[in-house]
Amino acid sequence: MSLEAQPEFLTEELIRWGARRGKACFNCGNCSAICPLAETNPFYPRQIIRYAQLGATKKILGSPAIWLCYHCGECTTMCPRQADPGEVIMSLRRWAIAQYDWTGLGKVLYRSPILSLIFYLAATVLASLVLYFFHGPMDMERVRLNLFLPTHLIDICGLSLGALVLFSLGINLYRMNFWYRSEYKSVPLDLGALLRTFWEEVVMQNRYRKCEDKSKWLMHVAIVNGFLLLFLTTALAFLLNPEGDPGKVPLFIRVLGTIGGFSLVFGASIAGWRRFTGEEVYNHFTDWIFLKLVLMAGLTGLILELLVALNLPLASYLVYALHLIVVFLLILTAPYSKFAHALYRFLAVYAFHLEKKEQATPGTAET
């Protein structure tokens, strides 16, 4: 099969997505020699990097390979040309997300720090204005969050934003599947394999266990499970406490939410420290934005609990408003942030497992 080559893709286009040193690669194969994933694919990641050198964009978009990497950094450490193959893979992910994205916003947020900052500031101002003009009375005798910001307002805004984000992600996933089917074939639904992949790759982050540096595994486990716990507690609170009175939230939900908040802050702190000390070789500006939002979401949530317990009304209302703004930004940008990375990676690993399972089943291989 012939490839539609674009030799300038790696040397010109991909640099704008973060692969600043990728053009130094001379395809020696050291990355495949050191990569733990090469146990199941001896050409990984050399093959996908070669596709990038050739500019075989259709092959890249239609392959799960760019999502299999968990960026342990061993290939970057061993690269004799300092081409940073790990960052080439991450840049391909950013580029692919923008290609799947039907709005064009992903390209803006990933390629321009200035436009990205303007977008976040505009979204922050919009959320602040909504809270300012639609908030209720502030009881200065006792903290009453559901009076300050009526529950129905939070529910309407949250559900509307969630529906918009899910709609956008749904279209993006359809476009991803289109590219995958163009190079491979349709992915069947195997509920058992889907749940097993979710447990192993999302909840337990098993692939990160292969990294020599276990702090990366701990960091990802803490952040992912922190988000999962907070999502679970938010859903339970919505179902069990529809009036939104914080005083009526069951104790077990509050405990799970607190654990989730601490887990989020712990994981984000490790990630931030690794980047601050230079343990991460290269940091894209979007990584910093996401980490700061995650850390702020966790901290404001925990601080709010403390302020409510101490019955400090004004401080509670201000921190609550800030917390909602940060959560709004995280949800709004979910189709383009690390949330999108996690979703695409989960589905790509699922497809990869099914492909390997089919190859290992007698009578299914092509002759």
Side-chain angles (χ1 to χ4, degrees), residues 34-71:
I34 194 66
C35 180
L37 294 179
E39 296 175 3
T40 55
N41 181 359
F43 303 108
Y44 192 87
R46 183 183 184 184
Q47 184 181 57
I48 197 68
I49 293 177
R50 184 57 179 162
Y51 284 157
Q53 290 177 318
L54 294 173
T57 55
K58 290 184 178 180
K59 280 287 187 182
I60 296 169
L61 288 173
S63 171
I66 59 174
W67 304 104
L68 300 182
C69 171
Y70 44 95
H71 206 211

Side-chain angles (χ1 to χ4, degrees), residues 22-210:
K23 62 182 179 181
C25 172
F26 58 5
N27 217 240
C28 66
N30 268 19
C31 53
S32 293
I34 194 66
C35 180
L37 294 179
E39 296 175 3
T40 55
N41 181 359
F43 303 108
Y44 192 87
R46 183 183 184 184
Q47 184 181 57
I48 197 68
I49 293 177
R50 184 57 179 162
Y51 284 157
Q53 290 177 318
L54 294 173
T57 55
K58 290 184 178 180
K59 280 287 187 182
I60 296 169
L61 288 173
S63 171
I66 59 174
W67 304 104
L68 300 182
C69 171
Y70 44 95
H71 206 211
C72 67
E74 293 178 24
C75 60
T76 293
T77 302
M78 297 299 294
C79 180
R81 298 277 291 176
Q82 288 79 51
D84 200 353
E87 185 54 36
V88 172
I89 299 293
M90 294 301 292
S91 299
L92 286 171
R93 288 184 182 180
R94 300 181 194 110
W95 171 80
I97 286 177
Q99 307 312 305
Y100 302 147
D101 173 38
W102 64 283
T103 67
L105 186 57
K107 183 179 294 186
V108 173
L109 295 179
Y110 274 123
R111 296 205 312 187
S112 174
I114 295 177
L115 291 179
S116 183
L117 179 61
I118 292 174
F119 172 83
Y120 277 99
L121 288 176
T124 300
V125 171
L126 175 63
S128 301
L129 290 175
V130 170
L131 293 177
Y132 178 78
F133 285 108
F134 291 95
H135 77 77
M138 294 186 288
D139 187 342
M140 291 302 178
E141 298 296 327
R142 182 169 65 91
V143 177
R144 299 174 64 186
L145 297 179
N146 57 324
L147 180 64
F148 170 60
L149 287 172
T151 303
H152 71 273
L153 175 63
I154 302 297
D155 291 344
I156 291 173
C157 292
L159 292 174
S160 300
L161 179 62
L164 179 64
V165 168
L166 287 176
F167 174 76
S168 182
L169 276 172
I171 295 179
N172 294 351
L173 287 173
Y174 174 81
R175 289 162 63 90
M176 176 192 184
N177 187 53
F178 169 80
W179 284 108
Y180 186 82
R181 284 189 292 114
S182 69
E183 291 295 327
Y184 295 89
K185 58 184 178 180
S186 298
V187 180
L189 177 61
D190 184 331
L191 187 58
L194 193 68
L195 292 175
R196 184 166 56 253
T197 302
F198 180 79
W199 174 257
E200 294 176 353
E201 303 294 342
V202 177
V203 177
M204 299 304 296
Q205 296 284 312
N206 280 346
R207 286 176 179 252
Y208 276 102
R209 290 178 181 270
K210 296 182 180 181

Side-chain angles (χ1 to χ4, degrees), residues 16-17 94 104-125 284-293 328-330 332-334 336-338:
R16 305 171 70 182
W17 303 87
R94 300 181 194 110
L105 186 57
K107 183 179 294 186
V108 173
L109 295 179
Y110 274 123
R111 296 205 312 187
S112 174
I114 295 177
L115 291 179
S116 183
L117 179 61
I118 292 174
F119 172 83
Y120 277 99
L121 288 176
T124 300
V125 171
H284 197 261
F285 69 90
T286 55
D287 296 338
W288 277 112
I289 293 175
F290 180 75
L291 274 179
K292 289 176 181 178
L293 289 176
F328 167 73
L329 293 176
L330 282 171
L332 180 65
T333 57
Y336 325 103
S337 69
K338 289 292 186 181

Side-chain angles (χ1 to χ4, degrees), residues 293-366:
L293 289 176
V294 169
L295 191 58
M296 287 180 64
L299 286 175
T300 52
L302 294 173
I303 292 172
L304 179 61
E305 283 195 46
L306 178 61
L307 294 174
V308 171
L310 295 175
N311 193 33
L312 299 174
L314 181 59
S316 296
Y317 301 143
L318 292 175
V319 172
Y320 186 38
L322 177 60
H323 178 72
L324 290 177
I325 291 172
V326 172
V327 172
F328 167 73
L329 293 176
L330 282 171
I331 297 175
L332 180 65
T333 57
Y336 325 103
S337 69
K338 289 292 186 181
F339 287 128
H341 281 241
L343 178 60
Y344 291 135
R345 184 175 180 276
F346 162 59
L347 295 176
V349 172
Y350 164 70
F352 177 75
H353 285 335
L354 288 185
E355 181 184 341
K356 290 298 181 183
K357 180 181 178 181
E358 182 177 334
Q359 292 175 356
T361 303
T364 60
E366 294 183 0

